[in-house]
């Protein structure tokens, strides 16, 4: 699904990514771990070009989305993103947050077909987005929160809403940037349970995480990053039981 080839990213004179190579197949759950400052979040943000790569290629379904001539917004529709700090719109209700992207894209597609769409066609798009959003809220047991604002939710509830907001676009892959690091410990479980459910359903995921138990249990592949490169890549069981890279051995001795 995604081929990352010699991906590089610099901020001025600081080179953060120094040639990342990775293949992500459909159904993979790739967990990216490593110390703070190793380039993990920058790598994730480059995958959907929230950060423009300095060099290299990102081939997503046969298209190099790192090519500046490509309309990245078309491809982002199939690549969901879940942020560390939730990034919900506080001036919109929970339901409106989930409906926002499907309605926006739906209206845009409608106007491509007809520059002057009827009110009925517009209402149909909104109605379909609302039904889908309510179905997603029911899935996570938060249907009673549809009309409240994000500020009234707990951290765990906000992150679960952020996850189903990503699901509302029917993505082919979801990128998770440390989705539990801003949560109180007692709220981590409810978010990880939802991610496990997605994993069991076959959702392709790339997850930057500090949750080692989750990475070992759910990941199909684990990548250890440090100093802007992937120093070791293996199955989670092989990595945790018998790490090969001295830097990985040192890292695990401090976090396990």
């Amino acid at each position: 699904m995604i081929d990352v080839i010699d991906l590089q990213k610099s901020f001025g004179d600081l080179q953060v990514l120094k040639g990342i190579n990775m293949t992500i197949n459909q159904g993979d759950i790739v967990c990216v771990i490593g110390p703070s400052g190793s380039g993990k979040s920058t790598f994730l943000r480059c995958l959907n070009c929230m950060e423009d790569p300095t060099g290299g290629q990102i081939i997503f379904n046969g298209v190099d989305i790192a090519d500046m001539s490509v309309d990245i917004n078309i491809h982002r529709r199939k690549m969901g993103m879940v942020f560390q700090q939730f990034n919900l719109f506080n001036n919109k209700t929970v339901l409106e947050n989930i409906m926002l992207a499907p309605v926006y894209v739906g209206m845009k597609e409608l106007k491509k077909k007809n520059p002057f769409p009827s009110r009925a066609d517009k209402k149909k798009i909104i109605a379909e987005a609302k039904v889908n959003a309510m179905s997603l809220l029911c899935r996570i047991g938060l249907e009673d929160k549809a009309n409240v604002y994000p500020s009234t939710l707990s951290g765990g509830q906000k992150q679960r809403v952020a996850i189903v907001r990503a699901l509302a676009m029917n993505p082919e892959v979801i990128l998770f940037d440390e989705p539990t690091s801003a949560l109180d410990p007692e709220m981590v479980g409810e978010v990880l349970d939802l991610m496990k459910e997605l994993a069991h359903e076959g959702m392709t995921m790339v997850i930057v995480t500090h949750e080692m138990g989750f990475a070992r249990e759910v990941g199909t592949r684990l990548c250890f990053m440090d100093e802007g490169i992937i120093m070791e890549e293996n199955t989670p069981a092989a990595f945790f039981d018998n790490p090969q890279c001295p830097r990985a051995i040192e890292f695990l001795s401090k976090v396990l």
Side-chain angles (χ1 to χ4, degrees), residues 160-181:
R160 285 187 288 151
V161 169
I163 292 171
V164 297
R165 178 180 63 176
L167 287 174
M169 288 297 293
N170 295 315
E172 295 177 13
V173 57
I174 302 182
L175 312 177
F176 293 84
D177 188 9
E178 299 188 28
T180 60
S181 63

Side-chain angles (χ1 to χ4, degrees), residues 162-234:
I163 292 171
V164 297
R165 178 180 63 176
L167 287 174
M169 288 297 293
N170 295 315
E172 295 177 13
V173 57
I174 302 182
L175 312 177
F176 293 84
D177 188 9
E178 299 188 28
T180 60
S181 63
L183 301 178
D184 292 333
E186 62 187 13
M187 296 177 182
V188 169
E190 62 192 57
V191 173
L192 293 183
D193 285 345
L194 177 55
M195 293 171 67
K196 288 176 186 175
E197 191 179 312
L198 294 176
H200 292 148
E201 292 172 2
M203 174 61 72
T204 307
M205 300 191 280
V206 184
I207 307 164
V208 171
T209 184
H210 291 296
E211 300 289 339
M212 299 299 148
F214 174 82
R216 181 168 193 148
E217 178 186 351
V218 178
T220 59
R221 201 158 85 250
L222 190 141
C223 296
F224 174 73
M225 276 187 71
D226 194 24
E227 298 181 354
I229 61 173
I230 295 176
M231 291 195 163
E232 187 166 341
E233 183 174 353
N234 213 328

Side-chain angles (χ1 to χ4, degrees), residues 52-115:
D52 291 327
T54 310
Q57 295 176 292
I58 303 165
I59 313 297
F60 179 43
N61 286 337
V63 177
D64 181 7
I65 61 174
D67 183 339
M68 297 300 285
S69 66
V70 169
D71 185 351
I72 185 61
N73 290 322
I74 291 174
H75 302 283
R76 277 202 191 115
R77 296 175 189 177
K78 293 298 181 183
M79 194 181 288
M81 182 85 175
V82 177
F83 300 88
Q84 184 175 342
Q85 297 292 344
F86 324 127
N87 286 19
L88 298 174
F89 294 100
N90 288 320
N91 63 333
K92 295 186 178 295
T93 65
V94 166
L95 187 66
E96 288 168 341
N97 264 278
I98 300 171
M99 290 173 59
L100 185 63
V103 168
Y104 176 81
V105 171
M107 293 295 184
K108 208 167 182 180
E109 292 300 316
L110 182 62
K111 286 182 179 179
K112 275 185 185 177
K113 298 174 185 174
N114 179 5

